[in-house]
Amino acid sequence: MLGTFHIRTDLALEAKESFEEDDVKIRGVRIKTSEDPENEITTTTVLIETENGAKTMGKPVGTYITMEAPHMSVPDEAYHREISRELARHLRTLIGEKEQSVLVVGLGNRDVTPDALGPRVVSNIHITRHMLKEYGRVSMEGKHCCEVSSLSPGVMAQTGMETLEIIQGVVKEAKPEIILVIDALAARSTKRLNRTIQITDTGINPGSGVGNHRNGINRKSLGVPVIAIGVPTVVDAATIVNDTMENLVETMDASERMQHLGGTLGTMNKVEKHQMIRDLISPHLNTMFVTPKDIDETVKRISFTISEGINLALSGESQS
């Protein structure tokens, strides 16, 4: 039964943490952490440098930048402005300084709120491609500005086509030099829901966090660099049950009184207790995902924060 329970997460940081919990060192993977105490933003960069590290982590070789902002779900405009600036700074690092053609793609289903992050971000992006094509650089009044276009391809249930097929068609015609993809993610921990932004230069596999594996949107499949931005909006229900039961086990182990009350459970060692937890978790929970009750307002707020970060990065204003 142990093999039937898989904790789903799209965050490289959480994948790394799961190995650290088991005291496993991964060769070919480096991690760097920086703090911004004033704005309460913690940034962790996971660098997967070798194929061995990629195989162990279950993620492609590349850079994974995770911004953790504990108050990101709070309606504080000043705080969200700082998050946008920090996001823009990281995007600048991955995109570079030069003006180039950028296609912004919002993945997900606009009609399902936890999955609507991508389309909502795209609706707030400053589009410039048509202006530059029609009037040239003079239309930007001499300002630094990338040639920006956007796309919200929807999901297979709406279009009958793979998302990758739609993007490939647009890329063939528009010929962007770089692609920014925004999508909602699944987290391992409830404390990271709507409080974390992951930026990676490895692209994305739509739906992988909830078990709907689609063709990868990456440099290999599209022929141009793909940078993915994601925010975890759902958590696996089985993960919540697993964490709760593990906390119960740890509490019973730490308390002599609880050990006496535990009956048979009190005679088990830690490995046996963890095995029992996994045996008890219903396989039906692996198809259930949980999202916060205020997800409507939260996704609306965070989507604007991310779009502002992208707009700053692509306009060059993030350097001011």
Side-chain angles (χ1 to χ4, degrees):
M1 283 292 291
L2 188 60
T4 62
F5 177 69
H6 301 283
I7 293 175
R8 295 193 179 104
T9 179
D10 289 314
L11 301 177
L13 174 61
E14 292 186 331
K16 182 72 166 60
E17 287 175 344
S18 68
F19 287 101
E20 291 175 346
E21 289 172 3
D22 296 330
D23 199 26
V24 175
K25 303 297 181 184
I26 308 174
R27 296 179 62 183
V29 177
R30 289 191 296 124
I31 187 167
K32 299 185 296 184
T33 302
S34 62
E35 300 274 353
D36 181 355
E38 183 178 349
N39 295 308
E40 297 184 69
I41 300 174
T42 301
T43 302
T44 304
T45 303
V46 176
L47 301 168
I48 302 179
E49 301 174 316
T50 66
E51 289 300 331
N52 174 69
K55 183 177 180 181
T56 305
M57 290 279 288
K59 296 187 179 298
V61 171
T63 302
Y64 299 81
I65 301 169
T66 306
M67 294 169 52
E68 296 181 87
H71 306 302
M72 197 163 77
S73 59
V74 177
D76 182 339
E77 288 188 16
Y79 185 68
H80 279 259
R81 193 176 301 114
E82 293 302 324
I83 296 173
S84 295
R85 288 173 179 164
E86 185 71 4
L87 173 60
R89 187 175 68 82
H90 291 305
L91 285 175
R92 274 284 177 190
T93 301
L94 297 177
I95 294 174
E97 297 294 331
K98 71 172 186 176
E99 296 177 348
Q100 53 192 321
S101 174
V102 181
L103 173 63
V104 183
V105 181
L107 301 180
N109 188 341
R110 189 184 294 273
D111 297 326
V112 179
T113 306
D115 196 35
L117 180 73
R120 282 182 174 270
V121 168
V122 164
S123 66
N124 290 311
I125 294 296
H126 294 162
I127 305 302
T128 60
R129 184 174 183 268
H130 61 303
M131 296 289 290
L132 291 170
K133 291 289 185 183
E134 185 72 21
Y135 304 108
R137 288 287 164 187
V138 67
S139 63
M140 297 295 111
E141 299 179 347
K143 297 178 181 177
H144 171 97
C145 184
C146 290
E147 181 184 293
V148 183
S149 54
S150 71
L151 172 68
S152 295
V155 295
M156 183 178 283
Q158 297 171 320
T159 65
M161 294 179 284
E162 282 276 2
T163 301
L164 177 61
E165 294 175 331
I166 298 172
I167 299 174
Q168 283 175 328
V170 173
V171 168
K172 183 178 179 181
E173 293 297 322
K175 297 179 174 57
E177 296 172 279
I178 195 165
I179 298 173
L180 282 182
V181 179
I182 302 97
D183 198 10
L185 308 178
R188 160 71 178 81
S189 170
T190 54
K191 72 178 182 179
R192 289 196 170 100
L193 285 181
N194 303 315
R195 297 179 179 90
T196 304
I197 300 174
Q198 177 175 269
I199 312 130
T200 176
D201 60 2
T202 63
I204 197 167
N205 285 82
S208 60
V210 295
N212 297 329
H213 296 282
R214 295 286 180 255
N215 293 325
I217 298 171
N218 48 48
R219 185 167 193 158
K220 182 179 179 181
S221 61
L222 292 172
V224 293
V226 178
I227 295 173
I229 305 170
V231 175
T233 59
V234 298
V235 64
D236 192 342
T239 297
I240 299 175
V241 176
N242 181 70
D243 289 351
T244 302
M245 295 183 72
E246 284 193 350
N247 289 336
L248 173 62
V249 168
E250 290 175 3
T251 301
M252 295 185 73
D253 284 342
S255 170
E256 291 186 8
R257 174 185 288 183
M258 292 293 285
Q259 285 179 350
H260 290 308
L261 292 174
T264 304
L265 190 61
T267 66
M268 294 181 177
N269 60 36
K270 189 173 182 179
V271 174
E272 290 172 332
K273 289 173 182 175
H274 283 188
Q275 177 66 54
M276 183 197 69
I277 289 172
R278 285 158 173 77
D279 288 345
L280 288 174
I281 291 177
S282 167
H284 300 298
L285 286 178
N286 284 331
T287 62
M288 295 182 64
F289 291 84
V290 180
T291 194
K293 64 180 181 181
D294 59 347
I295 191 65
D296 296 83
E297 279 300 314
T298 301
V299 165
K300 181 180 179 180
R301 187 179 307 117
I302 293 175
S303 64
F304 185 77
T305 300
I306 292 176
S307 65
E308 282 301 287
I310 293 173
N311 290 333
L312 286 172
L314 300 184
S315 68
E317 295 178 34
S318 58
Q319 302 303 303
S320 61

